[in-house]
Amino acid sequence: MDLQDAATGERRPETLGEEIFGRILELIYSTELAPGMVVNESVLATRFGVSRGPVREAIRRLQGIQLVSREPFLRARVVSLSAQAILELFQMREALEGYACRLAAQQMSEAEIDALIADLEAAHSGHQPEGARFDFHERVVRASGNSRIIDSLCGDLYHLLRIYRRISGAVPERKELAFTEHWQILRAIRMRDGALAESLMRSHVERAGRHVLAQVPETSSTDAADAEKRAS
Amino acid sequence: MDLQDAATGERRPETLGEEIFGRILELIYSTELAPGMVVNESVLATRFGVSRGPVREAIRRLQGIQLVSREPFLRARVVSLSAQAILELFQMREALEGYACRLAAQQMSEAEIDALIADLEAAHSGHQPEGARFDFHERVVRASGNSRIIDSLCGDLYHLLRIYRRISGAVPERKELAFTEHWQILRAIRMRDGALAESLMRSHVERAGRHVLAQVPETSSTDAADAEKRAS
DNA sequence: GGTTGAAAATGTGTCAACAGTTTTGAGGGG
DNA sequence: CCCCTCAAAACTGTTGACACATTTTCAACC
């Protein structure tokens, strides 16, 4: 039943609230808690064998990063993004990730750029170790050096994107196109052309957004009902 | 006092946690809880006449929007931004507010633009009603129509900026320069030149950031000691 | 038979007490 | 005089119980 212990992998006991936060996150990723479903404090508390306090804190944190929506006395629900919300999410990513790309073009060292190029080509050739998957976007964002932008993109927004990334997921021809675009961005970074790198990254993110939007037509209203039905 | 309370003026206390959140926010704004000071759950609980539960929730929310820093069993502290952190904060604002400005140039109606121009000039002439202060940046951001960017800029980041805005605050010649820049941005929006509007907004925010940075040389390390001393 | 109303059931908000951890400070040794 | 040790104090993390709000159920009534 408690098969998530391996996921944390940490020997050091943090607080229960933190652990429960991660556990609920796993439930959301695994769609056991699908968008639109209610998040019941008592049920989760008994399931995890803890009191309602830590569960409550975890839900508040999930609310903080906009993964669950909640109103004062109403039940909390996993967010179900409308098409408009997804569009806005990708717009924000465009703004932030584009700017991060510009910063990366200014601040990365030659060695870092070479290493990133090598990793990109290795991943494309299929030589990537399956354990640590290569994530081009995360690498670029972290290279920006702006920890606030890094936290925002790799933290809050990343969780939201991950829910809907599974939908687009493995589409072969899209993958090939993404590689080409990644390579163009890297070339701009190597040329230290921040404006071009930012522009290319924006176009790349916008294309990805349109791709996700095309595969998620109208799930916002139906999700709640479907989820509710499956729960019974 | 600014975002929600002033909107309706009379807001029934929804939950205690929400109210305590606002109360603590006021304490931080009034520098009674200055950057670097510890935020004690029990003390605040007895002060507000409630249990530790709501206070705890409020502090978690403050942690969520990065206004207090906290580690598992250590005491929570009001964040004390280093020069580097302030720089990163303004960079993120550059990215987001610039993009919002571009969106505004695409989406605002002619009437909205005219209204904003009128309000800007009225505020500059001193005809602004003191109750509802004119905030150019907030108006432009809200005109972008992207609720996620709006929430981020007018919510989380706004609270952080507000702590350090009081420092720069009322500098006459800066105010005149800001008006000129605001007016140039609006002209670009009216010409529907999104790229120019974004570029101008970025420069404007970057200038503001340098201005704040110049007035906050090295307070990050001293704040904690000063605050600690005043508390005794 | 459908609708309205109250009461039970479900679930969230709040509280006071207990457990575990970090910090403080006094006492003893080097 | 400084440093180390160790226990008490202070604080955070967690729990179970109680109070209040919302939703649902179900029976009386039109």
Side-chain angles (χ1 to χ4, degrees), chain B residues 5 8 13 17 25 36 50 68 74 84 95 101 118 154 169 174-176 188 190 201 204 214 219:
Chain B
D5 291 351
T8 58
L25 211 54
V50 299
V68 308
L74 275 50
Q84 175 67 18
C101 197
C154 299
R174 167 93 195 111
K175 213 158 197 168
E176 194 61 32
R190 181 158 63 179
M201 179 60 92
H204 174 56
T219 50

Side-chain angles (χ1 to χ4, degrees), chain A:
Chain A
M1 191 111 29
D2 295 341
L3 47 87
Q4 311 291 3
D5 286 345
T8 64
E10 266 305 313
R11 185 64 55 183
R12 184 171 176 308
E14 44 187 13
T15 83
L16 266 182
E18 292 291 319
E19 187 189 335
I20 300 299
F21 173 80
R23 291 259 201 111
I24 298 181
L25 211 55
E26 293 294 329
L27 289 184
I28 294 178
Y29 286 158
S30 70
T31 68
E32 185 169 336
L33 281 177
M37 279 183 69
V38 297
V39 183
N40 191 316
E41 292 181 1
S42 333
V43 170
L44 290 175
T46 57
R47 164 165 187 166
F48 294 139
V50 300
S51 163
R52 265 182 51 216
V55 175
R56 196 178 170 79
E57 266 193 36
I59 293 181
R60 291 305 174 281
R61 250 189 82 182
L62 289 169
Q63 178 194 4
I65 66 176
Q66 313 245 39
L67 261 170
V68 309
S69 67
R70 190 183 62 87
E71 292 175 82
F73 272 89
L74 274 50
R75 296 192 280 276
R77 283 177 180 276
V78 181
V79 291
S80 173
L81 293 186
S82 64
Q84 174 67 19
I86 294 180
L87 177 72
E88 292 181 355
L89 182 60
F90 272 86
Q91 279 184 343
M92 183 156 171
R93 206 182 140 197
E94 249 186 77
L96 248 31
E97 209 159 320
Y99 194 88
C101 198
R102 174 189 291 260
L103 289 179
Q106 295 169 4
Q107 302 203 348
M108 285 179 81
S109 70
E110 300 290 335
E112 284 174 323
I113 296 176
D114 291 341
L116 184 49
I117 291 177
D119 289 347
L120 173 65
E121 290 180 342
H124 181 243
S125 308
H127 295 125
Q128 54 171 333
E130 201 48 50
R133 222 173 55 74
F134 175 74
D135 189 328
F136 177 75
H137 290 269
E138 181 171 346
R139 288 283 292 271
V140 171
V141 168
R142 292 199 184 279
S144 74
N146 185 316
S147 57
R148 188 163 293 271
I149 294 179
I150 294 173
D151 290 348
S152 180
L153 280 173
C154 300
D156 307 3
L157 296 186
Y158 179 74
H159 294 305
L160 272 173
L161 288 169
R162 183 163 166 178
I163 296 182
Y164 290 87
R165 178 172 288 185
R166 90 169 49 245
I167 301 171
S168 74
V171 179
E173 74 276 4
R174 168 92 195 113
K175 214 158 196 169
E176 195 59 32
L177 177 59
F179 170 75
T180 304
E181 293 176 348
H182 288 173
W183 195 79
Q184 288 175 333
I185 291 171
L186 259 182
R187 192 171 56 178
I189 289 178
R190 182 158 62 178
M191 284 165 21
R192 304 295 183 183
D193 190 338
L196 177 60
E198 172 169 18
S199 177
L200 289 173
M201 179 60 91
R202 279 196 181 182
S203 304
H204 174 56
V205 170
E206 195 229 347
R207 239 184 301 272
R210 275 210 301 264
H211 190 255
V212 170
L213 262 184
Q215 307 221 345
V216 185
E218 291 302 327
T219 50
S220 55
S221 54
T222 60
D223 272 356
D226 293 349
E228 222 58 22
K229 223 174 72 167
R230 190 188 324 172
S232 62

